[in-house]
Amino acid sequence: MPKWVYLFHDGNAKMRDLLGGKGAGLAEMTRLGLPVPPGFTITTKACNVYSAKGRFPPGLKVQIAAAVKRVEAKAGNRLGDPGNPLLVSVRSGAKFSMPGMMDTILNIGLNDAVATALAASSENERYVWDAYRRLLQMFGRIVRGIDGHKFEAIMDRWKAKTTGGKDTDLDAGMLRLIVDEFRAVYTSESKDFPEDPRVQLEEAIKAVFGSWNGKRAVDYRNFHKIPHDLGTAANVQTMVFGNLGDDSGTGVVFTRDPATGEKGLYGEYLANAQGEDVVAGIRTPLKVRELKGRMPRIYAELNRHAMKLERHYRDLQDIEFTVERGKLWVLQTRAGKRTAKAAMKVAVDMAGERLITRDEAVRRVEPAQVIQLLMPRFDERAKEAARKEGRLLAHGLNASPGAATGIVVFDPDEAERLGRDEKRPVILTRIETSPDDVHGMLHAKGILTTRGGATSHASVVARGLGLPCVVGAESIRVDYEDGSFSVGESIVRKGDAVSIDGTTGEVFVGAISTIDPDFRREKELLTLLSWADKVRRLQVWANADYPRDAVRAREFGAQGIGLCRTEHMFFEQERLPIVQRMILAETEAERREALDRLLPIQRGDFKGIFEAMGDLPVVIRLIDPPLHEFLPKYEDLLVEAAELRITGKDPDRLKEVERLLKAVAAMKEQNPMLGLRGCRLGIMFPGVTEMQVRAIFEAACGLKKAGEDPHPEIMIPLVGHVNELRVEREKLERVAKQVMEEQGIRVDYKFGTMIEVPRGALTADEIALHAEFFSFGTNDLTQMTFGYSRDDAEGKFLMAYVQRGILPANPFQTLDRAGVGQLMRVAVEKGRKARPDLKIGICGEHGGDPESIAFCHELGLKYVSCSPFRVPVARLAAAHAALREKAGPKGTD
Ligand code: PEP
Ligand code: MG
C-alpha cells in the first residue's frame, strides 16, 4: 500500500514534491532538532487522488489514525479527551509557496465537552473560548462554505459592547456566548458542527485538499505559471497557543530585511495572539528586535534558531514562531519572499560570506527582479513640489518598493476589469486585502491599504508580484459604499488619481512624474551582472536607432548593436518632408535631389552610432516599412481636401492635398504587411537603399581615417527567396566598394540578412551563400508563421487564447518553440551547413525575454539583441541558460 502519511520525523527537505514546501520544511526542522510541535504530513499524491476521485485513497484513513496515535504519544495527550485534549491545525502546503492562496484550519479537537472541561481546569478560560470560536469560524467558512460575514457580524456586534472595541477586549463570558451564536449559524446555514474530532480532522483535510482547486489558488498558479497537477500536501500539527497571556505571543521573522536585504532579524511579534492576527494586520505588532529588551531569553533562542536555519538552507528564511507561556516553538520556515533590491543584496552578500558560490548567487536572482529594480521611481523634484502643494495625503508602511500613479479603485473585480481589459493604471485601495482580492491585485499598478503591517497579506502578495505597495495608512478612512476615502477634510473619489511610493510609504493625491533609476548606482546589480558575464555564452547586443540609444545600450553592457531600424530616422520632424518629397517625386531628378538632401543627415546618424559603439559591431538594417507609412493618412487627407474645398481658402494647399491623395491612393495595399516592404522596396526603389549604403560607408570611412575602427554590418530585411538577397547584395556591395575607393580607405564590414519570412528559414542554406550573418526577426517570423497580425491580434483574440489555455503564452512575447522555434532550428542547421562560420543572432522582441533567451542559448546563437533597458535582464537570463546547461537536465548545483 502506498505511504500517504509521513510523520515529521520521517521526512526531509528533499521531499518537496511529495510533502510540499511546508511539510518538507517541518520535517527538516524536526531533523535539525528545532522545537517543532509534533505532527505529520499527508502527501500531495493523496491530494491528487482526492481531486480526481472526490474521496480519500484506500488506506489513508488508517494511516491518519496511526499517525494521530504517534503524535498523541509524543505530545502526551489525546484527541477528544476532555481531561487532556490534543488540539491540531491542518494547513495546506504545495511544492511552491503560494502564500495565503489555500486554506488553514486551527484548533481542531475542540468541541463542547472538551472546551467546557478545558475552561474549567484552565487558569485562562478566555483562551479556550477564543480558540473554540476561531475553530467554528474557520471550519464554517472553509469546510462548510458559510459566508464569513455571518461570523464577523456577530463578532462586531460583541466588540461594540466593549470599551476598547477590539477582539482582545472580549472576555471569556462573551466569547462563550459568541460560541453559542456561531453554532446557531451552523444550524441555520449548514449542518451542525461535528462534535467528533476525528470527523473534524477528516473534513478539514478534505477542505484543504479542495482548496488546491479554489479560484484564488488557480488564478495564482496561472499567473505564476505553476503547474495545476502538483497538488497540495496537508500538514496536521499539534497546536501551540500564542494567546495564553502576556508571556505568550506569535510572530514572523526574516533572517534579513526582505525589503532591503540588510542582515539581521527583521519581523513582527504580537503578544497574546495567534498567527492569523499578525497576518490579518488587525493589531499593530512590535518589531521583533524590540523583543531583545522585553524577552531576552526568547530573543536569543530565536536568533540562534534563525541563524541555524539560514546557514542550513543557505538562503534568507521567513520563519513563523509562537511563544506559549514562555516556551518558543518554531512553526514554519521557508525561503523568504523579497524585493528585487533585497534579492540582489542577499545573493551578493551571501556569496561574500561564502554561504553560496557566485554561480549560485547569479542563479538566485530572477531576470524579472532586474526588471523590477530598473523600474521607474518618482522624480524627487516633482514629489517635493507635490508636497509643497499640500498633496501629501498620508503616510503608511513602505511594504513593497517602487512608484505608481493611477486611479483609485476599491473593488478588486473592477480593478481586474480596468487594469486587464482597459489597460488603465489602477491603484487598488482597500482597508486590508485578503486572498479573495488577489485577482484584482494582479492587474493593479499599486496597492494601498489602511491597515496591516509588513507581513500582512497585502504586503506579502505585492512583494511577490513586484508591485509598489503602501499598507497601514491609518489616517485614511475608506468608505466602500460611497466609493471614496477621506483624510481629514480631503476626499478622494473612485477614479481620482493618486500616487503611492512603496519605497517611502507616502501617499499623494494626483499624478507625479516618474524617472528611470540610475543603473550605474545599483552596486549589487553591477556586481552580480559582472559574475553573470563570466558564465554566459550568448553575447547581448541592443536594438538602437539613435546615437543616444547606443550610448545607453553600452552603459547597460551591450556588446554591439543588433538592429538599427534606419527608417526611424526618417520619421524625425524636419526629415519627413524630404522623405515625402523623395517618395512623391515625379521625375528622377526630383527624387535624386531629395535623396541628396537625406544623405548627409543619414551619414550624421550613422557616424554618431559608430562613435558610440567604438570597435563593436553595428548592424544597420536598410529601410523596411511600406512607403505609405511616411505619408499622411488617406482619411485625414480626404477630410482636409473637403474642408479646403468648402472654405475655398487655400487653393495651393488644396492642389497639394489632391496630389497627395492620388499618390496615397496609388500606394494603398489591402495587406501592407505582406506588400511592398522590406527588401522588395530596395529592389523596386533602388535609390533609397543605395543612398543608405553610401551614408553608412561615408561615415565609416571618415571615422576610419580619423583613427577609429567602426564595424558596420549591412542587413537586408524580409528576404524570402535567395534571388532577392543576391540582387541586393550585388548592387549594394558595388556602392560600398565605390565609396571606399572614393575615400581611399577600406572598412571591415559584413553583409547579411534577417530571417523573418518562413520561406527564408526553410531555404537558409541557399540564402547563407549570400549572407555572412543571419538575424532572426522573430516579430515578423511569428506573425507569418501563425498568420496573426502583430499589430492587432493581442487586442482582438490573442489574450483570450492565452486565458483559455488555447495558447500557453503570447507568442509575440515568448518565443513559440514548437513552431517558430522549429523554423529557427532549421535555419540554423541549414545555414551553418552551407557556411560554417555564419554568425547568427536574434533581434525580434524575444531577444529581451528570458525564456526566449534560453531557447536562443540552446540553439547556439551568437547573440541576442534587445532594447537597451532589457540588456541587463538579458545578461542575467543568458547566464541562467548557461548555468542550467552546466547543471545538466536534473541538478541545479
Ligand atoms: C522583426 O520582425 O522581428 C524585426 C526585428 O523587425 P521589425 O520589428 O522592425 O519588423
Ligand atoms: Mg521585421
Side-chain angles (χ1 to χ4, degrees), residues 563 565 621 624 677 754 756 777-780 790 843-844:
L563 176 65
R565 290 178 166 105
R621 188 205 38 207
D624 180 62
R677 60 174 286 228
M754 295 187 78
E756 50 184 349
T778 43
N779 305 333
D780 274 309
R790 58 191 270 191
C843 63

Side-chain angles (χ1 to χ4, degrees), residues 522-571:
E522 297 295 341
K523 205 171 90 234
E524 280 90 16
L525 174 61
L526 293 174
T527 306
L528 204 79
L529 289 177
S530 73
W531 296 345
D533 291 346
K534 291 208 174 73
V535 295
R536 67 187 161 92
R537 191 173 65 214
L538 270 175
Q539 292 191 6
V540 178
W541 297 15
N543 296 353
D545 304 331
Y546 304 99
R548 62 171 184 272
D549 296 341
V551 170
R552 182 173 292 151
R554 269 197 98 165
E555 275 170 18
F556 282 131
Q559 295 161 283
I561 299 296
L563 176 65
C564 171
R565 290 178 166 105
T566 51
E567 64 272 7
H568 285 181
M569 300 164 169
F570 288 176
F571 282 114

Side-chain angles (χ1 to χ4, degrees), residues 831-852:
R832 291 237 167 94
K833 209 163 189 186
R835 187 191 283 265
D837 63 347
L838 184 71
K839 198 163 117 179
I840 311 179
I842 180 174
C843 63
E845 286 308 303
H846 304 91
D849 168 64
E851 269 188 53
S852 313

Side-chain angles (χ1 to χ4, degrees), residues 479-628:
D479 184 341
Y480 288 137
E481 292 218 325
D482 184 51
S484 67
F485 72 70
S486 60
V487 185
E489 300 289 278
S490 322
I491 293 185
V492 176
R493 302 203 168 276
K494 184 179 93 175
D496 289 350
V498 290
S499 300
I500 61 167
D501 190 333
T503 312
T504 61
E506 291 158 300
V507 182
F508 295 87
V509 64
I512 297 180
S513 59
T514 50
I515 50 162
D516 301 325
D518 187 351
F519 174 72
R520 287 160 303 186
R521 289 193 169 181
E522 297 295 341
K523 205 171 90 234
E524 280 90 16
L525 174 61
L526 293 174
T527 306
L528 204 79
L529 289 177
S530 73
W531 296 345
D533 291 346
K534 291 208 174 73
V535 295
R536 67 187 161 92
R537 191 173 65 214
L538 270 175
Q539 292 191 6
V540 178
W541 297 15
N543 296 353
D545 304 331
Y546 304 99
R548 62 171 184 272
D549 296 341
V551 170
R552 182 173 292 151
R554 269 197 98 165
E555 275 170 18
F556 282 131
Q559 295 161 283
I561 299 296
L563 176 65
C564 171
R565 290 178 166 105
T566 51
E567 64 272 7
H568 285 181
M569 300 164 169
F570 288 176
F571 282 114
E572 303 246 310
Q573 217 179 10
E574 72 283 9
R575 304 171 184 194
L576 203 54
I578 314 175
V579 175
Q580 291 178 350
R581 231 170 294 148
M582 180 222 11
I583 297 168
L584 297 170
E586 280 164 7
T587 65
E588 197 43 47
E590 243 184 280
R591 173 161 297 142
R592 200 46 297 133
E593 195 213 314
L595 286 170
D596 285 349
R597 289 193 58 193
L598 282 174
L599 175 70
I601 300 175
Q602 284 254 281
R603 188 169 57 220
D605 294 329
F606 297 138
K607 181 166 175 274
I609 293 187
F610 291 142
E611 278 172 343
M613 296 309 289
D615 59 357
L616 297 174
V618 177
V619 178
I620 299 170
R621 188 205 38 207
L622 304 186
I623 189 165
D624 180 62
L627 290 181
H628 72 78

